[in-house]
């Protein structure tokens, strides 16, 4: 009896090992900016490659400025993005305008490149209602704070697209920590069950606040969780913009062709603190690890690649940096000029028609606000 | 005795009970190496090891289920929910399971679980971090819901909560974590659950309140004193079950009462306090019992937070309505 059980469990282990072996990290551009996987190279014109580089440079500046604006008390909630540019921006770059993004709190850059005005991103950070009021034609919803909620909702958006016969996808983002939530599994499972056109991105930046990735799950990779949902899953080098782009582009093609969702794990790192609200990474990360990841920097390797091709130079870099700084200056001014959030504004958006309690309270707060 | 902030008093209570009872376990998101995002569990993993104080995967529902299961194994779990706005993720474990454990097992099992969690406004958190959701908990029979207002109370109440054989939701107001220090005895002492405390004596009006609003109410009482009104402030400390005796004794003495809460008017526990007063002391009342609460909206974003939250001025105005009735 005992030996029989033993044998079965050995087979089960082998099965697991076999599954895990399949999930190798896909890379196209190595740390030196050399193409190591010609066959997987996505079709991108020189202009597109330049544009992607511009976006990464611009967003790095936006991150630096956001951190200092936060320190000056001019921004509210902010989750730093440096290190994750390839993961964030190359995945968005693979989308079309009609695709719908359901971001997490760190994914403001994707929203901006999908059309959200910068001033509104700043207003969202300050917790202003106007920050969530996305302009018509920009297919994003404001960043999710409840980790995992965006994943189940993405299944719904994608199913809606399918029912309406749209050739578009819903794309959503969470972190390595987020994959532990029940909503994560429900989201990928629902989308799989309905063959809904969804793309689920896990930005594995190795930590959930202080909790290292190994503590989230016994699974070797996070992408392999796709197997249980019966959908394809891939791991890509999240510091390699071309690998991220290729994986998302391919997933998008499958999705719009009616072949259902994909789970993509991008191996990346956040250089900064978790958020600007008092997190101290030195409590849980070594500087050795920081250095190891900074060597993989997406901007550095993409710059090398483009320079070798002769389509990027210092002048273009500086132009981009100046443009970012100027845009940020204008946007923050716009945010400053937006009338301050009032309690009566909050009251007015609770329902289509105000019930009696809020009609009364509206009068009370109007009076308070007039003082 | 040492001067402690509320967060230090909480850490001290946790350390005391980890020492006292090998069945006490602390777990949650980032409670280990990081000591919790507010440092409530600072140094505890170092002192007691990863066996007793450990990080969980990021899933509140998992944390709740783990607590239920560990309590079935005779442990005394003290999980942390990183912010109480995330409680919706663990509602089934709390209301559907913990609160019904005695019923579901015909009395065979109980659930000696204390869920700690920060909440409360005035600290400019993002969405879903600051909401006062104690009303949701108080409306669930089978739970005890504790909200301390001082470092001294926090330590004594938390030790009682951990030792209690029923599930306790222990809510820690973020604004009070580091706002002031107080003498807190070293070693163990307890404050009974379900007992309110008169934090300030008075004879003209009772302000019944809890959490951060205790301090706003005391400030209001001091202002009203200058105008010749003697105002009593009752700190509920446990919002479920209510300490009816202390509430009614105060109201019978003063004949006038208001209830102050940070939660929205239709949430929280104020309505229940008013109903209990009306049921039991209507003939002692010289005026209707009024409430001070936040408006019935989602929790205000930072820019509007200070107007949204009930403040000293709001409490004074409502007090005067009742005093001058
Ligand atoms: C439901 C829920 N639980 C807990 C939190 C608090 N929290 C915010 S971010 C975070 C860690 C998330 O880590 P990960 O998913 O890896 O994303 P990252 O921040 O690294 O991008 C936690 C625990 C939350 N926002 N929502
Ligand atoms: Mg992470």
């Amino acid at each position: 009896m005992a030996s029989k059980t033993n044998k079965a469990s050995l087979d089960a282990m082998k099965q697991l090992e076999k599954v895990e072996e399949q999930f190798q990290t896909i890379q196209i551009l190595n740390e030196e900016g050399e193409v190591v996987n010609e066959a997987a190279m996505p079709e991108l014109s020189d202009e597109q490659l330049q544009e992607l580089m511009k976006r990464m440079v611009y967003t790095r500046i936006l991150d630096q400025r956001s951190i200092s604006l936060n320190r000056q008390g001019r921004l509210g909630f902010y989750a730093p993005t440096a290190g994750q540019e390839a993961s964030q921006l190359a995945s968005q770059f693979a989308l079309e305008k009609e695709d719908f993004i359901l971001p997490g709190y760190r994914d403001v850059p994707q929203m901006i490149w999908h059309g959200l005005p910068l001033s509104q991103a700043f207003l969202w950070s300050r917790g202003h209602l106007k920050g969530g009021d996305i302009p018509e034609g920009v297919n994003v919803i404001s960043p999710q704070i409840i980790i995992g909620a965006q994943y189940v909702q993405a299944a719904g958006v994608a199913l809606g697209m399918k029912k309406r016969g749209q050739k578009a996808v819903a794309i959503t983002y969470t972190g390595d920590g987020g994959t532990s939530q029940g909503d994560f599994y429900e989201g990928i499972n629902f989308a799989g069950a309905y063959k809904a056109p969804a793309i689920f991105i896990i930005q594995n930046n190795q930590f959930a606040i202080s909790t290292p990735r190994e503590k989230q799950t016994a699974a070797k990779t996070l992408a392999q969780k796709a197997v249980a949902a019966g959908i394809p899953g891939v791991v890509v080098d999240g510091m390699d913009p071309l690998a991220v782009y290729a994986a998302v582009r391919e997933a998008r093609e499958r999705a719009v062709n009616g072949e259902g969702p994909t789970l993509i794990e991008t191996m990346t790192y956040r250089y900064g603190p978790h958020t600007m609200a008092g997190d101290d990474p030195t409590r849980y990360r070594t500087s050795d690890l920081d250095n190891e990841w900074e060597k993989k920097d997406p901007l550095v390797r993409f710059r090398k690649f483009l320079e070798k091709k002769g389509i990027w130079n210092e002048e273009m870099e500086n132009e981009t940096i100046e443009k970012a700084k100027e845009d940020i200056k204008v946007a923050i001014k716009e945010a400053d000029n937006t009338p301050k959030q009032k309690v009566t504004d909050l009251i007015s958006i609770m329902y289509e028609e105000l019930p009696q309690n809020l009609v009364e309270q509206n009068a009370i707060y109007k009076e308070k606000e007039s003082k | 005795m040492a001067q402690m902030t509320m967060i230090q008093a909480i850490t001290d209570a946790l350390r005391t009970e980890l020492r006292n009872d090998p069945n006490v376990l602390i777990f949650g998101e980032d409670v280990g190496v990081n000591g919790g995002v507010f440092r409530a569990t600072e140094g505890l993993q170092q002192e007691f090891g990863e066996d007793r104080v450990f990080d969980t995967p990021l899933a509140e529902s998992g944390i709740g289920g783990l607590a239920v299961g560990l309590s079935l194994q005779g442990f005394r779990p003290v999980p942390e929910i990183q912010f109480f706005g995330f409680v919706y993720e663990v509602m089934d474990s709390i209301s559907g399971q913990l609160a019904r454990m005695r019923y579901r097992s015909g009395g065979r099992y109980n659930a000696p679980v204390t869920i700690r969690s920060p909440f409360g406004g005035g600290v400019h958190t993002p969405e879903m971090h600051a909401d006062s959701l104690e009303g949701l908990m108080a409306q669930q029979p089978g739970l005890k819901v504790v909200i301390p207002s001082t470092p001294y109370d926090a330590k004594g109440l938390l030790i009682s909560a951990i030792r209690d054989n029923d599930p306790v939701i222990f809510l820690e107001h973020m604004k009070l974590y580091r706002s002031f220090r107080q003498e807190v005895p070293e070693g163990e002492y307890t404050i009974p659950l379900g007992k309110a405390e008169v934090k300030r004596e008075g004879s003209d009006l009772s302000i019944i309140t809890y959490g951060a609003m205790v301090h706003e109410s005391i400030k209001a009482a001091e202002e009203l004193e200058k105008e010749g009104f003697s105002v009593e402030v009752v700190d509920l400390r446990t919002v479920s079950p209510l300490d009816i005796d202390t509430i009614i004794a105060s109201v019978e003495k003063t004949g006038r009462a208001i209830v102050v809460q940070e939660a929205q008017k239709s949430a929280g526990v104020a309505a229940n306090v008013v109903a209990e007063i009306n049921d039991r002391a209507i003939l002692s009342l010289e005026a209707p019992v009024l409430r001070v609460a936040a408006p019935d909206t989602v929790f205000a974003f930072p820019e509007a937070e200070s107007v949204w939250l009930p403040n000293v001025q709001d409490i004074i105005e409502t007090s005067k309505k009742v005093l001058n009735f």
Side-chain angles (χ1 to χ4, degrees), chain A residues 238-254:
Chain A
M239 308 301 258
D240 169 2
L242 296 182
V244 172
Y245 179 88
V248 175
R249 200 64 202 167
E250 199 183 292
R252 188 182 185 280
E253 243 168 66
R254 265 198 306 275

Side-chain angles (χ1 to χ4, degrees), chain A residues 73-371:
Chain A
R74 298 182 68 195
L75 274 192
F77 174 79
Y78 185 68
T81 58
Q84 298 189 205
E85 289 88 353
S87 171
Q88 298 186 321
L89 304 178
S91 59
Q92 190 281 329
F93 201 61
L95 303 179
E96 301 296 332
K97 199 153 174 53
E98 56 271 27
D99 297 337
F100 195 105
I101 304 180
L102 296 96
Y105 47 84
R106 205 181 299 286
D107 304 314
V108 175
Q110 296 95 301
M111 302 172 69
I112 292 168
W113 294 111
H114 215 55
L116 178 74
L118 200 47
S119 59
Q120 282 192 263
F122 291 151
L123 286 167
W124 177 79
S125 159
R126 291 177 181 178
H128 196 291
L129 279 176
K130 183 81 183 101
D133 184 9
I134 312 290
E136 199 67 42
V138 178
N139 293 319
V140 300
I141 182 146
S142 63
Q144 186 54 251
I145 294 292
I146 295 302
I147 294 173
Q150 70 274 33
Y151 257 56
V152 261
Q153 293 170 13
V157 173
L159 180 58
M161 287 169 162
K162 183 175 173 175
K163 285 187 186 300
R164 299 227 181 272
Q166 289 169 8
K167 287 270 176 225
V169 302
I171 185 167
T172 188
Y173 295 85
T174 194
D176 41 304
T179 62
S180 294
Q181 285 284 14
D183 278 357
F184 167 86
Y185 297 94
E186 292 171 34
I188 61 175
N189 187 55
F190 270 50
Y194 294 125
K195 264 199 188 314
I199 301 174
F200 296 98
I201 309 274
I202 305 162
Q203 295 189 72
N204 177 358
N205 62 8
Q206 317 303 324
F207 288 87
I209 309 187
S210 73
T211 307
R213 145 69 186 86
E214 309 82 71
K215 291 214 170 143
Q216 294 295 339
T217 173
K220 270 220 181 77
T221 67
L222 301 172
Q224 76 194 56
K225 290 169 186 251
V227 174
I231 67 172
V234 287
V235 189
V236 298
D237 179 348
M239 308 301 258
D240 169 2
L242 296 182
V244 172
Y245 179 88
V248 175
R249 200 64 202 167
E250 199 183 292
R252 188 182 185 280
E253 243 168 66
R254 265 198 306 275
V256 295
N257 289 335
E259 292 167 54
T262 303
L263 181 65
I264 299 171
E265 175 182 6
T266 64
M267 301 298 281
T268 182
Y269 201 72
R270 80 168 139 75
Y271 298 160
H274 170 66
T275 67
M276 295 306 294
D279 179 56
D280 174 8
T282 63
R283 292 173 75 97
Y284 53 84
R285 286 192 326 208
T286 62
S287 55
D288 281 355
L289 188 65
D290 291 350
N291 293 338
E292 193 186 305
W293 278 94
E294 276 172 32
K295 278 193 216 125
K296 303 180 200 280
D297 190 76
L299 275 68
V300 170
R301 77 170 77 171
F302 206 42
R303 189 181 292 120
K304 280 185 185 160
F305 169 68
L306 296 186
E307 278 173 357
K308 259 180 262 166
K309 274 177 88 81
I311 56 172
W312 190 257
N313 55 40
E314 211 176 308
E315 196 187 323
M316 294 167 88
E317 178 111 7
N318 288 336
E319 235 169 64
T320 308
I321 293 172
E322 288 318 308
K323 166 111 173 62
K325 287 183 176 165
E326 185 55 31
D327 287 358
I328 293 163
K329 221 189 281 166
V330 172
I332 200 80
K333 205 170 272 165
E334 242 178 279
D336 288 346
N337 290 338
T338 308
K340 278 242 154 32
Q341 182 71 71
K342 296 193 308 255
V343 172
T344 45
D345 300 328
L346 277 176
I347 291 175
S348 72
I349 47 123
M350 286 305 291
Y351 298 93
E352 185 170 9
E353 234 176 277
L354 281 194
Q356 194 198 348
N357 60 330
L358 284 178
V359 171
E360 273 176 20
Q361 290 168 18
N362 198 42
I364 293 167
Y365 283 88
K366 215 173 205 164
E367 160 109 30
K368 279 186 206 267
E369 287 163 357
S370 70
K371 279 179 199 162

Side-chain angles (χ1 to χ4, degrees), chain B residues 12 34 41 57-58 121 149 174 189 262 270 280-281 300:
Chain B
D12 200 38
N34 207 34
T41 53
L58 203 175
S149 69
M174 285 184 268
Y189 67 94
E262 183 176 316
R280 295 160 195 271

